[in-house]
Amino acid sequence: MKLNGDDVRAIAYEARLSLTNAELEGAVSYINNFLEMAGRFKELDLKNVEPFRFAESRECPLREDKPEPFAQAPDILAARCAADAGAFFKVPRIMEE
Amino acid sequence: MSNMLKMSDFTPVIGIEIHIQLKTKSKMFCACPADYSGDEPNSRICPVCMGLPGSLPVLNRAVVHQGMLAGMALNCAVQPVTFFSRKAYYYPDLPKGFQTSGCDMPIAVNGWLEIKDDAGNPKKIRIHCLHIEEDVGKLLHSASDGRLEGADASYVDYNRAGLPLAEIVSEPDVSSAREAVEYVTALRRRVRYAGASDVDLEKGMMRFDANVSMKCADGRWGRKVEVKNMNSFRALERAIEYEIKRQRKIMEDGGEVLPETRHWNDAKGVTTASRVKASARKFMMEPDLPPLVVTPDWVEEARASLPEMPNEKTARYVEDMGLSEADAAVLTDSIDVARYFEGCVDAGANPARAGNWVRTEVLRVVNEKRCGADELTVKPASLAELICRIDDGRLSTTLAKRVFEAMLDGLTVDEALKKSGAAEGEVGADALGELVRATLAANPDVVEEIKSDKLDKNTKGKKIKFLQGLVMKETRGQARPDEVSKIIESALNLR
Amino acid sequence: MRFRSMGAREIAAGVREKKFSAAEVFEECLRTATDCEDRLSALAAVTAEAGRIQAKRVDEKVAKGEDPGLLAGVPVVIKDNICANGIRTAAGSRILGDWVPPYDATAWSLLADQGAVLLGKGSMDELATGVSDGSAAAVAAGYVPFSLGSDTGGSIRLPASYCGIYGLKPTYGLVSRYGMISYGSSLDQIGPFTRSVEDMELVMRVLARHDPKDSTSVSKNEIFARRTNTLKGRRIALVKEFMDFSPTLDQITADAMKRTIRLFEESGSEVIEVSLPTVARYAAACYYTIAASEAYTNFARFDGVRCGRAAEAAGLREMFETTRSEGFDGGVKSRIIVGTYLSEPDCYEKYYVAATRVRTLIAEEFYKTFDADRIDCILQPVTPSLSGKIGELNLYTLTANVAGLPAFSLPAGLQIIGPRWSDGELLDIGLEVEKISGAPKIAYFLQRR
């Protein structure tokens, strides 16, 4: 199963990426090398194998429901703030033509 | 072909997807306060809910507990081990570029809710699953109608990002817009009863999508259409009705219904095809969170904390207390009101009268003040005291209502009585006697009826009560009703 | 230039005993760094101001008679994908723009609490998708006695090898990942670079702490309590499939392997051969599948809305696409493309789901071998080759990440891999080897004076 430049550009589009010609070449080569290597998986019978969830059996730790405001919240907002966005994060037109 | 098909040849097949904000003090994966109403935008944020590079999630125990309670309220079974997945897509309200969700392995499965179908018969709507996941930020659009279409820019507020949600997916068992509304109403009631969520629609704590398709008697089954953006029960009803009509027309004309996502436009009353096309994608396991284990002890603890559910309460009120189904339904619609009512009865009030008072006066105040019945200044025991005095005949209903108003300011029954300017039975005996004589004189035919032996005991009692009412009206409720009755009866030589 | 050859333990002891001040130490190390930087480019940023303030605080504590910590006044470099509050973090990428994190990574704050002083952020390959590491160079050249790096498929052990110093990739879950910019979340671990095993142990004692902010972090810091000081009776395994030296492998590494095997045998260890066929054949494919899937989701947040670089655009798609396309290099883009492709319904089972199961087989093969053959550790080269082709450079290192095992790289281009939580044992073994073969020296050839 080999992918070509068009295939890779289509995937890149989904990933919100555009590629230069050199990058496209690199990506095509990378993904095809990868697929060749990963093709080995079909040699194995994985029907009764559990997926690896954590390196040892471990349970999700739970936090007590205690609210604690983050002191540097204003720094987060200040980090990306278009001039006319006030207390919001601004994005341009969402709907495509 | 089309002119041979009748409306009844089409059966709507509808599934409902509901998102409910679970009731917790902090967010799902971070300690930011969950209640941000009235706060500045982007003030309840931190590196975790903002998905800043390097941040990691830590699961809030209360979210799991509330999710379990909601599931149990919907008769679901709780799964002992579940895990989280990353649902990746690109959108500005999604801080990490993926949503951490329990969708691939829901915490509660195989539930159901009973509603009445369009013919009035009981019908089970099966619930496929309930899973927990984090909410996304809120988008405000710059278009003049606030809608996404035509907006040059949008603004994101992440206060809501990371709040805990339960997503509840039903099987496509709903068959009409009316059933859909009844389903969501019943679901909302039960989830509120369980304490899992306040489910306040105005605050956006409950959102729904509907999947609508039409089955035709000739064997055709139209493709499923997802309908979004219905923000109220009424919108849900109208949107489904519209969609049913739209799909039926297409199929009647021999066409094919396109499987797509459509948005409900409440102002125009139509659904329109959404131009945003999301490609199907599978989710990877969330590597930052080990599997969630819910012990049998915890499940039992949750189950034990579930209160009596609305249908059980209704049955009990009808069977044990003799209330009508309709009255019981009003009382059990909201658990705080039901508990208030039960508090009155436990404190000695007559259930019928307590039911009336709670259904009328208490509900009125609760709606005016927009508070829970548990927040009312008049506690159930105090209302019970008031009700008992009416039953004793010491207070008329009219006076009692005035006393109740005064009690809302925090006064006891006696203080309120004084304040409303009347002690019980303040009308003097002589004045009362005069009033009774005048009333009897003004109603000779009724007096005749009572004096004759033609009436049975019940009707006689009713006639006396009628006269009593007239007298009470004259005294503006200030006389003691039992005293008035005594005077009337002795005047009529019935004693 | 007296501090340049001192280890962390010596510096901390000296500061505590008032032999010299933290400020003195910091200024000298800063001079060393600034002298060498134009040739080495080991640092993405030099944190002179912040470091001076931290050094001053340490000296104030010492003056007051308060305990300044186990790492009192020790200057440190941390890899630029590890956040320090108020200090710009770029992680080797344009995508982060001028972003300044408003919080500390737990690993850094643990060091800071023990008196460590930040000298700079280590330069690195973009978002840790490569293996070059300025933090390693900074230690080798003597800027600082130790530094922090991160290892997803070998990016601590490979640079440590090249620079001739020690590098440890801890057992997965031993060191908190909070505040480290994730690449492969189930593969990444923060670990130290040092010039002595003693320093490695000191730093690990500070770092190996359960962190409630990291749900994958485990409480196990008792594993660094003293154990046996001998190689006698140890069972060292050589993996048949990873003994392929010639002709691709560097002759130096081949010689080092022979020397080290002889060292073990002469010290009374038993050197035996084991076979790990599943690991050998499938670990790389498994690693690249999981890394790509985790990376594409971890990097999805870089869209310019909340932090970092943002492109001007009329529409949202353009903003996202331009921000990301101008912000990422080809290597990161390739990985995102693979990860995205693997989430398509047609591929999902074949690769991603398969890889999560193959991973179990790999981990089990390791566990069974350690268990059944009573192995203390596996000895192998850090890399089979110096070529850059996918799956070749890091073939021998990524196996430990896939199985979550600790791996300690020794200055000669070799590494020892142990069962989970055997980090302390690995350091013990390393210490015995160091007693015989000597500790690494500063790379003085870089020094101009």
Side-chain angles (χ1 to χ4, degrees):
Chain A
M1 171 79 203
K2 253 181 149 0
L3 298 180
N4 63 28
D6 287 336
D7 297 324
V8 171
R9 269 209 211 279
I11 301 165
Y13 182 80
E14 287 300 316
R16 303 303 186 270
L17 292 173
S18 60
L19 307 166
T20 63
N21 286 330
E23 286 173 341
L24 180 65
E25 228 180 282
V28 171
S29 153
Y30 185 89
I31 197 170
N32 284 320
N33 283 337
F34 163 79
L35 289 173
E36 197 188 310
M37 186 173 49
R40 294 182 191 178
F41 289 155
K42 51 179 182 293
E43 298 163 7
L44 296 165
D45 178 9
L46 300 169
K47 257 194 329 280
N48 297 317
V49 183
E50 279 297 304
F52 183 94
R53 290 209 181 286
F54 195 69
E56 64 194 35
S57 90
R58 177 148 166 70
E59 293 172 20
C60 189
L62 299 168
R63 176 178 57 84
E64 287 309 307
D65 188 24
K66 209 177 123 209
E68 254 172 56
F70 180 67
Q72 282 177 252
D75 290 343
I76 300 179
L77 184 59
R80 166 126 316 279
C81 207
D84 61 343
F88 293 91
F89 290 82
K90 185 179 177 188
V91 291
R93 187 180 62 246
I94 295 178
M95 280 309 257
E96 291 165 45
E97 291 304 296
Chain B
M1 174 81 177
S2 58
N3 49 16
M4 294 201 299
L5 291 167
K6 306 189 297 294
M7 239 171 82
S8 56
D9 292 329
F10 289 92
T11 312
V13 177
I14 303 165
I16 312 275
E17 253 173 53
I18 299 172
H19 283 91
I20 284 184
Q21 187 188 311
L22 294 173
K23 184 173 176 166
T24 59
K25 298 193 195 107
S26 56
K27 290 187 177 180
M28 186 162 179
F29 295 117
C30 67
C32 286
D35 180 17
Y36 59 85
S37 48
D39 284 348
E40 279 290 294
N42 291 304
S43 59
R44 292 288 182 227
I45 58 177
C46 78
V48 177
C49 56
M50 285 299 280
L52 293 188
S55 63
L56 293 173
V58 184
L59 182 56
N60 179 347
R61 144 186 302 276
V63 173
V64 181
H65 191 83
Q66 298 293 56
M68 260 203 289
L69 282 182
M72 287 172 179
L74 303 174
N75 302 299
C76 294
V78 174
Q79 301 279 68
V81 182
T82 60
F83 61 86
F84 290 95
S85 302
R86 289 186 176 180
K87 201 167 153 184
Y89 61 93
Y90 297 93
Y91 209 60
D93 62 2
L94 189 61
K96 292 178 290 196
F98 63 83
Q99 182 190 32
T100 301
S101 164
C103 55
D104 274 347
M105 185 73 154
I107 191 171
V109 294
N110 299 334
W112 51 268
L113 261 196
E114 201 177 88
I115 61 166
K116 294 237 159 59
D117 68 12
D118 286 349
N121 301 315
K123 173 176 177 178
K124 259 202 185 126
I125 305 292
R126 292 166 302 158
I127 289 168
H128 182 71
C129 65
L130 176 151
H131 73 256
I132 53 179
E133 62 183 19
E134 55 182 346
D135 204 350
V136 301
K138 229 189 264 190
L139 271 170
L140 293 157
H141 307 296
S142 65
S144 50
D145 61 356
R147 286 173 62 80
L148 183 55
E149 289 85 355
D152 269 338
S154 300
Y155 299 86
V156 199
D157 173 13
Y158 294 101
N159 282 351
R160 196 179 71 182
L163 280 181
L165 296 178
E167 181 176 326
I168 303 159
V169 180
S170 83
E171 300 287 3
D173 292 345
V174 173
S175 309
S176 74
R178 196 214 117 257
E179 282 186 14
V181 174
E182 202 179 314
Y183 169 71
V184 300
T185 307
L187 189 144
R188 176 178 178 273
R189 185 182 303 125
R190 288 183 77 91
V191 168
R192 262 197 98 218
Y193 256 68
S197 167
D198 284 339
V199 211
D200 187 334
L201 270 140
E202 276 169 35
K203 291 190 181 154
M205 291 182 180
M206 183 181 196
R207 295 167 239 161
F208 19 72
D209 301 329
N211 290 309
V212 182
S213 63
M214 298 294 282
K215 216 165 157 184
C216 184
D218 63 8
R220 281 183 300 157
W221 195 337
R223 307 287 291 278
K224 193 168 68 167
V225 171
E226 188 186 18
V227 183
K228 295 175 99 78
N229 198 39
M230 300 158 292
N231 295 327
S232 66
F233 289 175
R234 184 79 188 109
L236 175 68
E237 194 174 17
R238 292 175 66 213
I240 292 179
E241 275 167 356
Y242 174 85
E243 198 47 32
I244 287 173
K245 278 204 192 86
R246 186 189 74 86
Q247 291 187 20
R248 193 176 59 231
K249 175 93 181 36
I250 292 175
M251 292 176 78
E252 276 172 351
D253 292 346
E256 296 251 344
V257 174
L258 277 172
E260 58 183 353
T261 301
R262 296 179 71 88
H263 279 244
W264 172 246
N265 185 325
D266 210 47
K268 294 193 180 149
V270 298
T271 61
T272 51
S274 166
R275 276 180 289 170
V276 178
K277 192 186 70 142
S279 52
R281 209 154 278 288
K282 301 292 250 180
F283 314 135
M284 56 164 277
M285 296 178 334
E286 172 57 80
D288 291 334
L289 294 169
L292 172 62
V293 172
V294 172
T295 60
D297 279 350
W298 193 2
V299 174
E300 268 325 293
E301 184 196 318
R303 202 178 294 285
S305 78
L306 272 181
E308 189 183 29
M309 285 279 127
N311 53 318
E312 294 163 327
K313 276 199 196 297
T314 305
R316 189 161 62 84
Y317 293 2
V318 168
E319 282 155 29
D320 297 352
M321 300 187 199
L323 265 58
S324 72
E325 277 246 15
D327 288 351
V330 173
L331 291 171
T332 59
D333 188 49
S334 183
I335 195 174
D336 51 312
V337 171
R339 284 197 174 128
Y340 192 97
F341 164 69
E342 288 167 13
C344 288
V345 173
D346 287 345
N350 166 294
R353 204 184 289 280
N356 285 343
W357 270 81
V358 174
R359 275 187 310 110
T360 54
E361 301 307 308
V362 173
L363 266 183
R364 176 181 55 83
V365 177
V366 154
N367 287 332
E368 266 168 28
K369 290 189 193 283
R370 310 190 124 233
C371 65
D374 50 326
E375 295 169 282
L376 223 51
T377 36
V378 182
K379 296 298 160 203
S382 304
L383 180 58
E385 202 189 321
L386 191 64
I387 289 172
C388 286
R389 293 199 195 190
I390 301 174
D391 276 341
D392 286 350
R394 284 184 288 160
L395 268 185
S396 70
T397 310
T398 325
L399 181 56
K401 283 193 185 162
R402 287 221 308 273
V403 172
F404 179 70
E405 284 304 315
M407 283 165 78
L408 285 171
D409 292 331
L411 304 174
T412 62
V413 180
D414 289 313
E415 287 167 355
L417 263 172
K418 269 207 193 93
K419 180 154 184 245
S420 48
E424 295 164 352
E426 214 187 54
V427 183
D430 290 336
L432 201 52
E434 261 308 308
L435 269 172
V436 168
R437 266 193 293 278
T439 307
L440 292 182
N443 295 277
D445 28 331
V446 180
V447 172
E448 267 304 312
E449 278 187 295
I450 295 172
K451 278 182 152 170
S452 79
D453 268 319
K454 293 197 204 128
L455 297 176
D456 63 89
K457 193 160 158 211
N458 233 352
T459 321
K460 203 185 251 186
K462 282 201 183 127
K463 299 283 179 183
I464 292 172
K465 242 211 146 96
F466 167 70
L467 292 172
Q468 180 208 64
L470 291 177
V471 173
M472 291 300 296
K473 205 162 146 209
E474 288 304 310
T475 67
R476 265 164 296 172
Q478 287 188 16
R480 281 181 62 145
D482 55 349
E483 231 185 284
V484 171
S485 303
K486 274 200 214 125
I487 299 173
I488 292 174
E489 282 171 12
S490 69
L492 294 174
N493 293 322
L494 296 173
R495 291 192 163 249
Chain C
M1 283 279 156
R2 51 181 174 150
F3 304 116
R4 198 172 180 185
S5 55
M6 279 189 197
R9 192 181 285 267
E10 207 184 331
I11 291 177
V15 168
R16 281 197 300 269
E17 290 159 21
K18 298 190 186 169
K19 287 195 187 142
F20 37 77
S21 68
E24 266 184 83
V25 177
F26 187 70
E27 291 307 325
E28 193 199 284
C29 292
L30 201 53
R31 269 198 305 277
T32 307
T34 22
D35 280 350
C36 296
E37 258 303 271
D38 54 348
R39 275 159 302 148
L40 216 52
S41 299
L43 302 179
V46 176
T47 54
E49 216 179 286
R52 284 189 179 116
I53 294 171
Q54 289 160 19
K56 186 154 171 255
R57 255 189 241 128
V58 172
D59 287 330
E60 280 167 2
K61 271 196 168 156
V62 173
K64 281 196 215 145
E66 288 167 16
D67 179 11
L70 290 168
L71 298 167
V74 179
V76 61
V77 165
I78 66 177
K79 187 169 174 178
D80 202 24
N81 63 349
I82 300 173
C83 294
N85 196 338
I87 293 176
R88 179 173 170 224
T89 278
S93 177
R94 290 180 302 276
I95 198 79
L96 281 167
D98 292 325
W99 184 58
V100 176
Y103 56 96
D104 284 321
T106 300
W108 161 238
S109 68
L110 286 171
L111 297 180
D113 285 346
Q114 290 298 327
V117 173
L118 191 64
L119 188 129
K121 305 299 294 299
S123 62
M124 54 183 282
D125 279 343
E126 191 174 12
L127 294 166
T129 53
V131 297
S132 73
D133 201 314
S135 315
V139 169
Y143 295 10
V144 290
F146 83 96
S147 65
L148 287 190
S150 76
D151 190 309
T152 305
S155 40
I156 285 177
R157 291 161 285 159
L158 282 154
S161 277
Y162 293 149
C163 296
I165 58 176
Y166 292 103
L168 175 70
K169 180 204 89 65
T171 302
Y172 184 85
L174 186 60
V175 178
S176 167
R177 292 182 300 115
Y178 183 80
M180 170 179 64
I181 299 175
S182 296
Y183 161 35
S185 311
S186 72
L187 304 158
D188 297 333
Q189 270 293 273
I190 290 177
F193 293 105
T194 64
R195 291 193 301 269
S196 70
V197 180
E198 183 186 67
D199 274 356
M200 183 63 78
E201 206 171 319
L202 172 63
V203 176
M204 281 308 295
R205 281 234 188 94
V206 175
L207 289 178
R209 228 144 268 278
H210 166 64
D211 183 12
K213 292 198 199 122
D214 175 357
S215 299
T216 60
S217 124
V218 178
S219 179
K220 285 273 188 186
N221 59 336
E222 74 279 3
I223 68 180
F224 293 106
R226 255 283 125 239
R227 293 151 307 278
T228 45
N229 305 16
T230 177
L231 290 178
K232 198 171 158 94
R234 296 277 196 186
R235 286 168 65 79
I236 313 295
L238 302 176
V239 179
K240 188 170 86 171
E241 291 86 0
F242 293 159
M243 292 297 288
D244 183 13
F245 294 170
S246 52
T248 54
L249 194 56
D250 205 13
Q251 193 54 41
I252 296 175
T253 309
D255 288 343
M257 270 300 279
K258 287 204 191 95
R259 267 197 333 265
T260 310
I261 292 170
R262 198 167 52 236
L263 186 158
F264 276 119
E265 286 170 336
E266 285 170 2
S267 306
S269 303
E270 219 184 311
V271 179
I272 62 176
E273 196 183 73
V274 298
S275 175
L276 300 176
T278 313
V279 175
R281 183 148 179 81
Y282 303 104
C286 185
Y287 169 81
Y288 280 102
T289 308
I290 306 240
S293 301
E294 293 182 351
Y296 108 86
T297 54
N298 281 327
F299 300 160
R301 71 194 68 206
F302 296 118
D303 55 17
V305 179
R306 290 159 299 285
C307 71
R309 178 197 195 89
E312 286 294 318
L316 185 75
R317 174 171 266 282
E318 195 191 327
M319 177 196 183
F320 279 20
E321 214 176 272
T322 312
T323 298
R324 291 163 66 79
S325 304
E326 289 177 354
F328 293 135
D329 275 344
V332 168
K333 286 182 189 175
S334 292
R335 281 160 178 78
I336 293 175
I337 285 166
V338 171
T340 306
Y341 180 60
L342 297 183
S343 68
E344 284 178 22
D346 291 337
C347 301
Y348 184 69
E349 297 281 335
K350 256 194 293 188
Y351 303 109
Y352 177 72
V353 175
T356 60
R357 293 180 180 173
V358 171
R359 193 173 186 182
T360 300
L361 295 179
I362 288 172
E364 270 170 12
E365 189 169 77
F366 268 115
Y367 303 161
K368 273 191 205 124
T369 305
F370 280 124
D371 226 20
D373 293 322
R374 292 170 297 114
I375 304 293
D376 288 296
C377 70
I378 291 168
L379 170 71
Q380 61 172 81
V382 159
T383 181
S385 120
L386 298 171
S387 110
K389 192 166 174 217
I390 185 176
E392 284 193 2
L393 185 66
N394 52 7
L395 177 62
Y396 289 178
T397 43
L398 54 79
T399 56
N401 304 80
V402 170
L405 306 174
F408 185 28
S409 74
L410 308 174
L414 311 179
Q415 60 176 325
I416 46 176
I417 303 173
R420 283 179 59 77
W421 313 121
S422 66
D423 309 58
E425 316 269 322
L426 295 181
L427 296 192
D428 278 352
I429 293 172
L431 187 63
E432 296 311 304
V433 171
E434 186 182 73
K435 282 180 189 162
I436 299 166
S437 56
K441 301 279 185 282
I442 304 288
Y444 279 114
F445 65 87
L446 290 170
Q447 193 185 6
R448 232 190 280 165
R449 304 186 217 143

